[in-house]
Amino acid sequence: MDMGGLLNYAIFFATFAGIFAVVALGLNVQWGLSGQFNFGIAGFFAVGSYTTAILTSEPVATRIGGFDLPIVVGLIAAMILSALVAWAVGWVTAGLRTDYLAIATIGVAECIRLIVKNEDWLTNGVRGIPGIPRLAADWFGPSPWIMLLLVAACVIFAYAAIEAARASPWGRLQLAIRENERGATAAGKNIARARLEAFVFGAAFMGLGGALYAHLFGFISPEAFGPNFSTFLVWVMLIAGGSGNNKGAILGSFVIWLIWSGTEILTNRLPVEYVNQAGALRLLLIGLLVQVVLIYRPQGLLPEKL
Amino acid sequence: MSDDLLVIDNVHGGYGGADILTGASLRVSGPEIVVIVGPNGAGKSTLMKSIFGLVQIRGGTISALGHDITNQRADLIAKAGLAYVPQERNVFPSLTVDENLDMGGYLKKSDAAHKDRIYAIFPQLANRKTQRAGSLSGGERQMLAMGRALMIEPKLLLLDEPTAALAPKLVDETLDKIGEIKALGVGVLMVEQNAKQALARADRGIVMVMGKVRMEDDAANLLARPDLPELFLGG
Amino acid sequence: MTITDFLQLIIFGIVSGAIFALGGIGISVIFGILRFAHLAHGDMMTFGAYLALAAITSLHLPVLAALPIAMIGTAAAAIAIDYVFYRRFRQARPVVLLISSFGIALVLRSAVQLIWGPGNYVYESGISIPYVIFDLRIKPDHLLIVASTIAIIVAFHLFLTYTRLGKAMRAMSDDPDLARVSGVDTERVVVWTWAIGGALAAAGGVFLALDTQLNPLLCWNILLPMFAAAIVGGIGRPYGAIAGGLLIGIVEELSTSFIDPAYKPAVAFVIMVAVLLWRPTGILKGTT
């Protein structure tokens, strides 16, 4: 690989890791701050992706839209719609115990995936949506840089917003609820409301991450929203980085993405008959990695500061 | 010293941060009934749990029948010859009465003759062999809990407030059963709120206050003390 | 919908219900004993289905003969997974086990794909001719699935009711501390819990593979209806999971006459959420 290629790869790497950081920060609100399980990250990610894809792509006859709107509108709408879906989900599931919430959110993601796959009029079904605008190159330098800048801005925005929320009375209330609820199952209208707010707040960033993903690749299809990739990888990132710690969430995203990408470089060197299996091998390693983290460093690289 | 059924020596421990037990010591030496009384929060139940390894012991030692059982696994303590009836959740609600006794005899691989002896001690259980324990009345449940514990054929039986949730007329009946259990050659260490009724049937009494044993005497002597109510209330 | 169509759907529902029940029992028992939702259960079933495939292709066994091999192999794998991973998290908060089992799900799924590849397989190629009774078509495979499931569940029932270990499992599910106090070596019960959960999982996986075809996502795809079965039946109660499995299976099949069959998993999900909200302890009361 020449220097230019290496630089491009580094930019792509940082962009993708940044997108994961946005999602991991969202999960850190739900899990790290509020103690709510969400194994349905892929669902909110998909909502964000498809929202911006439909709003910003060019009009086509076979499905709703596109509406050819500016990317920034797509990003904001992705956050809003993801938050709305989270509100509907959370409104129903807010009172559930952790283990039931885990199953319920898997179910939500599965339902969203079924909709994405089957409602052709909305999402173009299994063929996916091509032609999602990528950041234009004509008004400032080479386009990979702009995408990276946009993603970096989103990471900073997410970090600042979540840190501010964490330090506010609202954040302290979340912590208090989390610590209390670990023992007993407290009820109460205010607690349910606070938990719902955290769930919605976190989901907005998952939607934003999904939207950024759509604009990075310019094409999305239901394939990308299976449970392995976005949901599990983000969990590993947050746990490895240190759940409850926003810097940890960002660090974890980059470290795990480095490992994930690194294994891709290694598996690409395998003999050709095994390359097809490489994806499976990488997932297997990630599945083992999370066990190692849980056993040897359950608090993560940067533990939560209380 | 291996004649002693139980020796608790200067035990410290508790659930989370703070110690509830702050240097408790006592001894049970043979088939006798020893009653622990004391105010709420004195650590009586915690002491019972700590004997069975259900509460972390952070200082001191507990030995039973010559074995050190400090922070030991509960099933191994049962194997050593101790049985324990917690105050609440002391039967398996979804198992039948008969199956509850089988579980008590888990280590003995279901000795049918011994089970019949238990039914002889608690005849009202014999009529309810196939009934689920969860549907028993409070008094029957307490009988079953004691029966389950006796299935281990223990040398020492720990009872945590066996009469706590019972109607007054069942209290005497239950305490009389405990007398019968002693007659089988089993030592009994019990926590009891009905101090007078319990001490009247006991050999020795122990007053526990603030995580320590404050006083220890023959039950009759304790019972005769005019200041017993104050001791009991932690005065 | 004619009465024949209706009964036909009921038959299909009983077949998938039997499979959900086999998985749901394991989920329920594991929850009862270890107090966590075992998210790798679907993939454990898939693993079992592929073990049977290996036995069928290498030893040229019929499916029914490969079944016990798959059950024993999966039981051993389940015990090994518990020993290497889950056992370390017993003292940790329950969520750690949730995350760990989600990771194990991935490991099992990837292992299956690494060994057998991503493609589809069937146990026996060729078309089996259904029996026709009063216009109802009953496939021989379906009869085999339902009959074997009944046999396995009866054996499981006898185990729970009459053996020392079976009673200990129920006791531990009621109250682990009291079981320990009674002298039960709870770690040994845990080992047997995995053995039974794994064996039943393998049977469910083999039957689903027999009814459809093998692929690495075979039973991950039915994780939702299986959890729905366990929850509807009252989690921690294996008999409830049987009733729950049949209910979910039948309702899912009947729903296909009203809504797009692609949304079958969503039906299970809706029932599950409704039960969680309406009666979190299940229609038959469960462990809390």
Side-chain angles (χ1 to χ4, degrees), chain A residues 31 37 39 92-93 96-100 102-104 106-108 110-111 113-115 118-119 182 227-228 231-232 235 239 276-277 280-281 283-284 286-288 290-291 294-296, chain C residues 31 37 39 84-85 88-89 93 95-96 98-100 102-104 106-107 109-111 113-115 117-118 220-221 223-224 227 231 235 262-263 265-266 269 272-273 276-277 280 288:
Chain A
W31 170 241
F37 235 67
F39 269 146
V92 176
T93 61
L96 294 184
R97 266 177 17 202
T98 301
D99 33 19
Y100 291 159
I103 305 297
I106 288 176
V108 168
E110 198 55 25
C111 290
R113 202 177 62 83
L114 289 175
I115 292 170
N118 293 301
E119 300 303 321
R182 278 191 182 155
N228 300 339
T231 299
F232 192 70
W235 267 101
I239 294 165
N276 274 341
Q277 303 290 68
L281 182 61
L283 279 176
L284 189 139
I286 286 287
L288 289 176
V290 78
Q291 313 299 330
L294 287 175
I295 292 169
Y296 295 105
Chain C
F31 190 95
L39 298 178
V84 178
F85 301 109
R88 298 170 195 271
F89 307 125
R93 290 178 298 138
V95 290
V96 173
L98 270 181
I99 299 166
S100 172
F102 200 64
I104 294 298
L106 213 58
V107 169
R109 201 180 312 156
S110 313
Q113 194 177 331
L114 272 177
I115 300 168
W220 164 263
N221 289 332
L223 188 67
L224 218 48
F227 264 99
I231 288 169
I235 197 142
Y263 286 103
F269 173 69
M272 181 180 80
V273 169
L276 280 178
L277 296 174
T288 48

Side-chain angles (χ1 to χ4, degrees), chain B residues 3-212:
Chain B
D3 300 316
D4 288 319
L5 294 181
L6 181 71
V7 180
I8 300 178
D9 185 19
N10 196 24
V11 160
H12 295 254
Y15 302 90
D19 282 353
I20 295 172
L21 302 173
T22 55
S25 302
L26 64 82
R27 182 180 299 253
V28 181
S29 301
E32 55 172 348
I33 298 180
V34 180
V35 173
I36 305 176
V37 296
N40 283 328
K44 301 175 305 260
S45 289
T46 310
L47 182 66
M48 297 297 236
K49 286 182 187 151
S50 73
I51 297 169
F52 250 88
L54 302 175
V55 167
Q56 181 73 25
I57 298 169
R58 285 186 277 257
T61 57
I62 301 181
S63 60
L65 302 135
H67 305 280
D68 181 8
I69 57 163
T70 317
N71 286 329
Q72 184 64 271
R73 265 167 45 193
D75 57 303
L76 298 178
I77 294 171
K79 230 173 191 167
L82 265 61
Y84 169 49
V85 179
Q87 184 185 344
E88 286 164 335
R89 296 175 65 96
N90 51 21
V91 296
F92 300 106
S94 78
L95 271 57
T96 65
V97 167
D98 209 51
E99 287 170 341
N100 263 276
L101 293 187
D102 287 344
M103 282 321 297
Y106 184 80
L107 289 168
K108 306 285 175 197
K109 317 223 167 174
S110 286
D111 179 343
H114 187 57
K115 196 152 77 176
D116 289 340
R117 280 200 289 280
I118 304 288
Y119 280 128
I121 300 173
F122 304 107
Q124 58 270 66
L125 294 179
N127 305 325
R128 301 192 182 280
K129 283 184 184 177
T130 57
Q131 192 175 326
R132 277 181 204 281
S135 66
L136 295 177
S137 72
E140 290 162 346
R141 205 183 279 220
Q142 193 60 45
M143 298 295 167
L144 178 58
M146 289 197 280
R148 193 220 84 233
L150 289 175
M151 282 296 292
I152 301 180
E153 299 181 41
K155 296 279 182 293
L156 176 66
L157 176 63
L158 309 176
L159 297 171
D160 194 352
E161 302 206 13
T163 66
L166 301 184
K169 86 176 174 61
L170 286 173
V171 171
D172 280 318
E173 193 182 323
T174 306
L175 292 173
D176 288 342
K177 289 291 177 203
I178 295 167
E180 285 180 42
I181 291 168
K182 177 192 161 191
L184 296 173
V186 179
V188 177
L189 176 64
M190 62 191 277
V191 172
E192 190 46 71
Q193 291 288 356
N194 293 306
K196 284 193 170 166
Q197 283 153 288
L199 285 170
R201 293 164 175 86
D203 298 293
R204 282 192 299 128
I206 285 171
V207 180
M208 231 180 129
V209 179
M210 304 264 289
K212 284 190 179 70

Side-chain angles (χ1 to χ4, degrees), chain C:
Chain C
M1 185 165 58
T2 68
I3 187 82
T4 311
D5 291 343
F6 178 77
L7 291 174
Q8 190 70 56
L9 288 177
I10 297 276
I11 290 170
F12 291 150
I14 290 171
V15 173
S16 40
I19 294 163
F20 297 161
L22 287 170
I25 290 172
I27 287 170
S28 209
V29 171
I30 290 164
F31 190 95
I33 302 279
L34 291 156
R35 297 287 191 277
F36 84 105
H38 185 226
L39 298 178
H41 211 71
D43 297 285
M44 204 169 254
M45 293 169 74
T46 309
F47 180 76
Y50 275 88
L51 279 187
L53 177 73
I56 289 166
T57 49
S58 61
L59 304 172
H60 305 288
L61 294 173
V63 175
L64 217 45
L67 180 64
I69 296 175
M71 288 172 79
I72 292 167
T74 310
I79 294 168
I81 289 167
D82 180 68
Y83 187 80
V84 178
F85 301 109
Y86 299 152
R87 186 174 57 98
R88 298 170 195 271
F89 307 125
R90 293 245 216 285
Q91 305 306 321
R93 290 178 298 138
V95 290
V96 173
L97 275 166
L98 270 181
I99 299 166
S100 172
S101 71
F102 200 64
I104 294 298
L106 213 58
V107 169
L108 282 170
R109 201 180 312 156
S110 313
V112 162
Q113 194 177 331
L114 272 177
I115 300 168
W116 286 282
N120 292 320
Y121 294 96
V122 291
Y123 286 143
E124 284 155 346
S125 47
I127 307 156
S128 64
I129 298 151
Y131 307 118
V132 180
I133 304 161
F134 300 120
D135 291 341
L136 291 175
R137 282 164 294 111
I138 300 175
K139 285 198 217 163
D141 281 352
H142 285 173
L143 273 182
L144 180 79
I145 289 169
V146 173
S148 312
T149 303
I150 291 171
I152 289 168
I153 286 175
V154 167
F156 174 67
H157 165 74
L158 295 175
F159 167 80
L160 274 189
T161 315
Y162 295 109
T163 68
R164 184 164 166 262
L165 208 58
K167 285 177 205 170
M169 276 177 71
R170 284 156 56 215
M172 198 176 154
S173 189
D174 266 10
D175 193 329
D177 274 348
L178 192 61
R180 256 173 233 125
V181 164
S182 302
V184 176
D185 178 351
T186 46
E187 277 302 303
R188 192 161 158 259
V189 175
V190 168
V191 167
W192 278 96
T193 302
W194 285 110
I196 287 163
L200 296 186
V206 169
F207 295 153
L208 184 62
L210 187 63
D211 193 31
T212 59
Q213 45 183 212
L214 290 113
N215 68 72
L217 283 172
L218 180 72
C219 298
W220 164 263
N221 289 332
I222 61 163
L223 188 67
L224 218 48
M226 292 190 304
F227 264 99
I231 288 169
V232 168
I235 197 142
R237 297 180 65 116
Y239 298 109
I242 299 166
L246 286 174
L247 178 84
I248 299 285
I250 290 170
V251 173
E252 266 198 11
E253 288 303 328
L254 289 179
S255 76
T256 58
S257 52
F258 308 103
I259 59 169
D260 186 342
Y263 286 103
K264 254 201 308 200
V267 173
F269 173 69
V270 169
I271 297 172
M272 181 180 80
V273 169
V275 169
L276 280 178
L277 296 174
W278 170 57
R279 269 191 83 155
T281 53
I283 291 175
L284 309 160
K285 256 174 95 180
T287 308
T288 48

